[in-house]
């Protein structure tokens, strides 16, 4: 992995830059659908990054955590939002979905229907989820902008 021999200060700078890029991407996509993959394999880093985003932005962010039994991403998001129109939606828990492959296949089939979202959709993904998405739902992955967040190693 990239973090093996990188100085902790460089990782902090990288993450701060990625936070700014993510906030800018959300801001520029207000009122329209865009798919953003926030790549981070460490829950503690994800929590820190999300806290930083909340602190640095005044946007109305909706956070949705998927249940392990989630079968379809689109239907779950529609049910959770119930017509609400947040500035952006952040989705957590893909790594805990029991049948991730089936969820991704369904997502691939419904890829055009995601355009009905009028806000950016940020999917927090681990390396494992990202690799599965690339292999099972490449069309969905190809529509996304990806941002990587790293963990400091001392």
């Amino acid at each position: 992995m990239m973090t093996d021999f990188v100085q902790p200060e460089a990782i902090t700078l990288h993450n701060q830059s990625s936070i700014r890029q993510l906030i800018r991407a959300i801001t520029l996509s207000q009122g329209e659908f865009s798919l953003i993959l926030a790549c981070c394999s460490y829950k503690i880093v994800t929590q820190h990054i999300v806290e930083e985003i909340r602190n640095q932005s005044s946007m109305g962010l909706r956070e949705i955590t998927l249940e392990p039994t989630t079968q379809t991403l689109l239907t779950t998001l529609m049910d959770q939002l119930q017509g609400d129109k947040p500035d952006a939606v952040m989705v957590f828990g893909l790594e805990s979905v029991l049948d991730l492959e089936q969820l991704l296949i369904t997502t691939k089939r419904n890829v055009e229907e995601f355009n009905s979202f009028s806000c950016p959709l940020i999917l927090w993904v681990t390396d494992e989820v990202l690799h599965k998405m690339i292999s099972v739902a490449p069309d969905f992955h190809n529509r996304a902008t990806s941002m990587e967040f790293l963990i400091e190693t001392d």
Side-chain angles (χ1 to χ4, degrees):
M1 179 160 195
M2 185 178 147
T3 60
D4 287 343
F5 299 105
V6 179
Q7 296 292 329
E9 300 82 21
I11 293 172
T12 299
L13 290 173
H14 170 84
N15 285 348
Q16 288 300 321
S17 175
S18 293
I19 290 169
R20 286 191 301 277
Q21 290 174 9
L22 180 55
I23 291 172
R24 185 169 46 249
I26 293 169
T27 302
L28 293 174
S29 297
Q30 290 302 290
E32 60 187 50
F33 175 72
S34 68
L35 178 62
I36 301 168
L37 301 178
C39 306
C40 184
S41 291
Y42 306 97
K43 191 169 262 185
I44 189 77
V45 176
T46 299
Q47 292 168 344
H48 172 73
I49 298 298
V50 170
E51 189 63 33
E52 285 293 316
I53 292 167
R54 285 188 206 115
N55 291 338
Q56 295 181 30
S57 168
S58 60
M59 291 180 280
L61 301 174
R62 180 73 184 270
E63 298 177 20
I64 297 174
T65 301
L66 301 177
E67 297 293 328
T69 56
T70 302
Q71 296 181 355
T72 63
L73 182 59
L74 184 64
T75 304
T76 300
L77 295 175
M78 297 292 206
D79 289 348
Q80 290 284 323
L81 292 173
Q82 297 182 358
D84 286 350
K85 304 241 185 237
D87 293 330
V89 176
M90 291 197 288
V91 178
F92 305 92
L94 277 165
E95 70 281 356
S96 67
V97 171
L98 297 175
D99 195 352
L100 180 60
E101 186 165 339
Q102 185 57 48
L103 180 136
L104 290 171
I105 290 169
T106 305
T107 300
K108 180 175 75 171
R109 287 187 191 136
N110 298 327
V111 70
E112 293 303 320
E113 294 180 45
F114 280 88
N115 289 328
S116 66
F117 277 88
S118 58
C119 67
L121 177 63
I122 301 103
L123 301 179
W124 287 87
V125 298
T126 61
D127 289 341
E128 184 178 329
V129 170
L130 182 62
H131 292 296
K132 180 77 89 175
M133 184 182 292
I134 291 168
S135 67
V136 174
D139 294 348
F140 191 68
H141 172 263
N142 289 339
R143 298 183 74 173
T145 299
S146 295
M147 297 179 190
E148 182 180 31
F149 296 95
L150 307 173
I151 190 166
E152 291 182 15
T153 56
D154 290 350

